[in-house]
Amino acid sequence: NNFLLNSPQEKFILVSVTPTKEVTQTVIDERVEQFIVDKKTEKIAYVKNAEHNFEVWVYYLKSFGEQPTKEANSRELITTSKERIGKIAWLEFDGFERHLLFLTSGQLKIAELDGRDRRNSAILATGLDNFFYEPSEQLIWGVTKDSFWQARL
């Protein structure tokens, strides 16, 4: 079993408990503002406040042998922003979560995890205050002060 802690000392800690009740603690990073675990509990996406930038990282809880390969307990920088990142979500497609949605400066953006050649990213919508994603229906809802909309992926 794994548990995540965001400690008062600004450390983001993974606590693992084995079936024999051994407890280990792994410091993943520091100054983490938010995080989200993928559906299969294999990856953790998180937003780090890196003083003058905000960064989105992915921490891999297990190894991945298929391309792009990843080692267990490794992490990867996905993107940086000068503006605060308000929300992140895993985008699920065909049972896999290989993209992240995130909201910054009113823009809903998408970024792929595969950064082998060049990491692809795009702006999906602008002028948003918030968004919600429903993976089972493949729907994104955009929310503004005055309205909301939905789009099927």
Side-chain angles (χ1 to χ4, degrees), residues 2 8 12 29 36 41 47 58 66 73-74 105 114 121 125-126 144:
N2 293 320
F12 186 51
D29 213 327
I36 186 165
T41 319
V47 175
V58 172
E66 71 276 356
N73 302 311
S74 66
S105 298
D114 187 350
S121 63
T126 59
T144 69

Side-chain angles (χ1 to χ4, degrees), residues 10-21:
E10 296 190 349
K11 302 231 184 283
F12 186 51
I13 301 169
L14 174 67
V15 178
S16 300
V17 181
T18 67
T20 61
K21 307 291 186 229

Side-chain angles (χ1 to χ4, degrees), residues 94-106:
D94 285 341
F96 294 100
E97 294 162 314
R98 296 183 178 144
H99 296 80
L100 284 168
L101 299 168
F102 58 98
L103 184 66
T104 182
S105 298

Side-chain angles (χ1 to χ4, degrees), residues 14 16 26 59-63 71-75:
L14 174 67
S16 300
T26 304
Y59 183 84
Y60 296 92
L61 294 165
K62 69 167 238 167
S63 294
E71 295 295 321
N73 302 311
S74 66
R75 65 189 185 123

